[in-house]
Every structure is written in structure tokens, then in C-alpha cells.
């Protein structure tokens, strides 16, 4: 029998040492913020619940005190298993200072593993993560020396290497919907994504645990049609009503995020002209009619904006790992939503499609690249960004286009009459002899016959079996002055070296 209660009452249901599965994505999407706030408030006032294991497949919050950061208190969280860490500097700090056990595992692995937990199977067996930092031979996704227990095992099946992931059983799942009827059936009618809320709930219930769901409104019994129920009441224990719940931090409700049509489709303003747009324009030149596409967060999310600006959205199908098919993926803090999607799937179903090789092309970020074509987006310097869905997507897409600036920290350029001039060089080199952490293995991709490009504002590289090959440079850029001195290795050069299309450098 579902009970309706306040957030403070729901917080009392979470025992010490429980494994909490948290729902949420990006800037407040699907985030049961009232319940998370109540749990933090209870801990700060009474020191409970303590020694939690917390799992979050997505990064979410305000990069300050909200979202995952509600649980970033020493004593409250003992172990954090996350895919994307960048939204919580506080949780990063606890991990980097060795004050919690910390794991970084792929987003798709985490969301599909909930289904394995729900069915009480032995765990997830997949090739996703091989030859990256989550491979036990390269660290097993363990972030620090406090993290002793491996969650990933290398196994051999039918003469091939596989990874076996085993997460701890879920004791408490905290999820969110739009509406609950009086029986406790949950609808996500006004949510911008479905995420992994159903398998999370099933994983908790089949382990004898509990499910707490936050909704905006309660409707009368029988008013939700069966096809609208995303989580049946048999999987729900407690419902918390939050009348002030927003669809995202972008606003209380945007109908276009749920796919509802407007008489006139209103698109956001085009990207401002600059380095990011130059990179996105060159990357968008890799699109072909009929492509099924994924765009990642960061510089690469500008590819969707450029495609819309150039009238290409109807020729390709954009997708986002939160389960969105079609439409225009959002940039920046609203990443994980799309304007006018044609379908919204559960996240595990989306990752099944990705892992099976369904993507024609993926546009992803690039913090570091090296001679072998390896890419690092997960951990560099003092920053623990996490891999998010990057490994699931990059390892299985037919083609990857990695997007990033050539150097970082202080880079300034001048774009004039179709040419580029470096005004101030960035102080951090991004093309290294060896990346700090392998989030994408160039050698493994080449072995599998997958292609990759590495696109910056001034140069384009291509993955080959021999490593990175420099294929294009921007008009106005000198190879000897602007490229080679800022790389830790000398790349193979295509002969003849091509010039990037001057049109992409014009406002």
C-alpha cells in the first residue's frame, strides 16, 4: 500500500548503510530535489543516515549545493559509484582526498545493470569498457586507494574477453515523476526524459527494499490510462508531493521538451560565432543523410545547433543517451533534454541500441588525445570529470568525431575573412605523448575497424592503425609555428596536407 508523506517523513525511511540509487540528469531533469534536500537536512541535524553507498548513473545538480552534492558529506556517504562526476565538485573533492570509496563506471553499464539487479541475475556481462580505465587491467574504475573492492572482473567467454560488472543490491531507490494517482501509479507526462526510473524501482523492490517517488501533483484514482503509467504502484512505497517541482532548472514546464508540437516550431538562437562554432561546423561536415547520431555534452553539443541552423535536422536523427530520439538536443546545463523529440525511451533501452552498434556517428568531447589516438575526458590534472556515457557510446559507434580546442587555458583566436590567427596561445597542451587516463582506446577502435576524427579549431586528425595522422589545417595557420610546437609528439602528416574549408571561419 503506497503511503503519501512529506519529504522529511520519507527521509526517515532511509536506514544507515543502505545502498541508495539516485535518479536525476543535468540541470534538474528528473531530480527528486525535495527528497534529496530532506535527506541532507536530516544528516546535518541528526547525523543520519550514515555510511551510505550512493549510485548515480548521470551527473546532476547545480555544480554547487544541489543534486549529488547533497550526499557529499563525510560520514553520510561511505561509497559513491558514479558515471559523471563533474556536476558535484564536493563529491569530487571527497574522492580525490581519499575520504570515500569512489568508482567511476560507464553510464550505460550502470543503467542496464539495474535490470540485472531487478531480475537477480549474476550481473552485467559486456565488452563495454575493455581497454579503458574501467578494464581491471587498467584500474577497474576504482578512483582512489580507499577503494578496495573491485566491481569489474575480466572474464573469458567463447574465446573472447568480456567485462563482468556486479553492483551491490539496491536498498532504496529515489525516483521522480510528474503525477501520481491515489493508488500510487506514477506518470512521467511532463518530464523531459524517462531515465532509468523503472529498472531502479524494480531493482529495489526485488531486493526487499523501498521506492520513494517525488511528484508534482496527485490526481484521482483511475484518471491515468494504463499506457501512461511509467511505474506501477506495486513498485512504489512512498510518494512525496512537491507542488513547486520544475521540469528542469530551465523552467517550470517547456512543452517542447516532451515532444508536444507548437503551431510554429521555435528554435533557440544560433550559436554565437567563435571557436566553438568553428569546431562544430567542421564536425557537422561529417553528417550524411540518414545518419543516426549522438551528440555529447560540451563543445560537441554545438553540432546539433549547427545542424539545425543549416537545415539538416530533418536529414538525420539526433539522439541523446537519456533516451531521447529525434529533435534538437539542448546545449550546456540543459543537456539531457531535446526540443521536439519524436520519441522518449527508457535510458536502458537507448543504451542497448548504442551498445549493439546502432549509432552511425557520435560527436564527443576531447580533453586530451595522444599519439595512439587514445582520448581522455574522464580525469585530468586535479579534475575528476567522470566518463558519463562516453565509453558506451564511443566504443560502439561506427564512427566517432572528437571535438575540442587544440590547447586549453587562455586560448584566444581572431577569425577574419575566412582565416584564423592565434592571438594568445593556451597554456595547456592537449595532444600528449600519453593521455593521463584512457577513456577511448585508439588501438582497440582501429582493431575493430571503427573510424575516428579529432577536430580542433586549427587542425583535423584521423585515426589509423599507425596512430594519429594530421590531415587538415586551418587557413592562416602555420604548421611549424601554431601546431607542432604545441604537441608532445610529431604526428604523421597526410600528403598533401589539406586546408580546412574557409567558409567555416566566416561569420
Amino acid at each position: 500500500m503506497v503511503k503519501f508523506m512529506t519529504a522529511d517523513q520519507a527521509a526517515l525511511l532511509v536506514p544507515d548503510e543502505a545502498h541508495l540509487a539516485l535518479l536525476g540528469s543535468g540541470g534538474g531533469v528528473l531530480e527528486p530535489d525535495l527528497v534529496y534536500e530532506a535527506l541532507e537536512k536530516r544528516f546535518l541535524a541528526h547525523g543520519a543516515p550514515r555510511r551510505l553507498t550512493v549510485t548515480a548513473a548521470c551527473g546532476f545538480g547545480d555544480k554547487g549545493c544541489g543534486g549529488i552534492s547533497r550526499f557529499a558529506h563525510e560520514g553520510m556517504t561511505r561509497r559513491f559509484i558514479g558515471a559523471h562526476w563533474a556536476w558535484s565538485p564536493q563529491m569530487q573533492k571527497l574522492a580525490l582526498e581519499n575520504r570515500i570509496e569512489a568508482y567511476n563506471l560507464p553510464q550505460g553499464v550502470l543503467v542496464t545493470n539495474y535490470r540485472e539487479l531487478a531480475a537477480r541475475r549474476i550481473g552485467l556481462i559486456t565488452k563495454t569498457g575493455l581497454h579503458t580505465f574501467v578494464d581491471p587491467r587498467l584500474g577497474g574504475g576504482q578512483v582512489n586507494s580507499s577503494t578496495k573492492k573491485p566491481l569489474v572482473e575480466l572474464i573469458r567467454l567463447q574465446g573472447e574477453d568480456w567485462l563482468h560488472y556486479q553492483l551491490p543490491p539496491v536498498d532504496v531507490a529515489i525516483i521522480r515523476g510528474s503525477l501520481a494517482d491515489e493508488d500510487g501509479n506514477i506518470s512521467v507526462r511532463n518530464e523531459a526524459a524517462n531515465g532509468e526510473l523503472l529498472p531502479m524501482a524494480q531493482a529495489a523492490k526485488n531486493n526487499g527494499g523501498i521506492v520513494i517517488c517525488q511528484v508534482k501533483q496527485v490526481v484521482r484514482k483511475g484518471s491515468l490510462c494504463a499506457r501512461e503509467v511509467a511505474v506501477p504502484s506495486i513498485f512504489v512505497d512512498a510518494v512525496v508531493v512537491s507542488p513547486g517541482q520544475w521540469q528542469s532548472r530551465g523552467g517550470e514546464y517547456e512543452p517542447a521538451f516532451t515532444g508536444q508540437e507548437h503551431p510554429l516550431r521555435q528554435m533557440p538562437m544560433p550559436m554565437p560565432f567563435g571557436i566553438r562554432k568553428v569546431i562544430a561546423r567542421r564536425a557537422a561536415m561529417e553528417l550524411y543523410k540518414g545518419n543516426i547520431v549522438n551528440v555529447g555534452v560540451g563543445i560537441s553539443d554545438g553540432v546539433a545547433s549547427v545542424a539545425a541552423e543549416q537545415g539538416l535536422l530533418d536529414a538525420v536523427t539526433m539522439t541523446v543517451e537519456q533516451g531521447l530520439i529525434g529533435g534538437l538536443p539542448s546545449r550546456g546545463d540543459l543537456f539531457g533534454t531535446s526540443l521536439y523529440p519524436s520519441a522518449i525511451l527508457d535510458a536502458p533501452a537507448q543504451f542497448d541500441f548504442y551498445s549493439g552498434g546502432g549509432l552511425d556517428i557520435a560527436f564527443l568531447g576531447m580533453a586530451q588525445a595522444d599519439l595512439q589516438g587514445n582520448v581522455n575526458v574522464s580525469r585530468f590534472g586535479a579534475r575528476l570529470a567522470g566518463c558519463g556515457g562516453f565509453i558506451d557510446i564511443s566504443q560502439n559507434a561506427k564512427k566517432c568525431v572528437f571535438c575540442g580546442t587544440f590547447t586549453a587555458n587562455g586560448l584566444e583566436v581572431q577569425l577574419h575573412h575566412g582565416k584564423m590567427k592565434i592571438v594568445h596561445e593556451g597554456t595547456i597542451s592537449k595532444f600528449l605523448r600519453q593521455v593521463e587516463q584512457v577513456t577511448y582506446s585508439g588501438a582497440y577502435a582501429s582493431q575493430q575497424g571503427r573510424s575516428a576524427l579529432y577536430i580542433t579549431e586549427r587542425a583535423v586528425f584521423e585515426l589509423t592503425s599507425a596512430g594519429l595522422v594530421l590531415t587538415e589545417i586551418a587557413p592562416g595557420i602555420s604548421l611549424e609555428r601554431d601546431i607542432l610546437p604545441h604537441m608532445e609528439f610529431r604526428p604523421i602528416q597526410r600528403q598533401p596536407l589539406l586546408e580546412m574549408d574557409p567558409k567555416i571561419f566566416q561569420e
Side-chain angles (χ1 to χ4, degrees), residues 15 29 53 58 63 81-83 97 104 141 146 176 213 237 256 303 350 362 387 447 456-457 482 503:
V29 176
T53 292
C58 280
K63 301 180 185 176
I81 306 167
E97 292 177 357
N104 183 201
S146 292
R176 188 180 104 173
C213 183
D237 296 282
V303 175
Q350 186 82 303
C387 57
Q447 176 189 325
T456 74
E457 79 288 346
D482 300 320
K503 289 186 291 187

Side-chain angles (χ1 to χ4, degrees), residues 51 130 168 237 247-248 262 269 288 330 334 404 413 433 449:
R51 295 180 57 76
L130 282 172
D237 296 282
Q247 184 189 53
S248 73
H262 290 174
M269 292 290 291
Y288 288 87
S330 302
L334 289 180
V413 305
R433 206 165 275 106

Side-chain angles (χ1 to χ4, degrees), residues 273 278 281 285 310 417-419 475 499-507:
F273 184 60
V278 164
R281 281 176 169 176
M285 292 171 67
Q310 296 179 356
H417 294 306
K419 293 185 177 182
E499 183 177 77
M500 297 169 72
D501 191 335
K503 289 186 291 187
I504 69 177
F505 300 93
Q506 296 174 2
E507 187 163 3

Side-chain angles (χ1 to χ4, degrees), residues 282 285 418-419 471-477 496-502 505:
R282 175 58 188 87
M285 292 171 67
K419 293 185 177 182
T471 59
E472 303 173 33
I473 61 171
I477 290 297
L497 195 56
L498 302 179
E499 183 177 77
M500 297 169 72
D501 191 335
F505 300 93

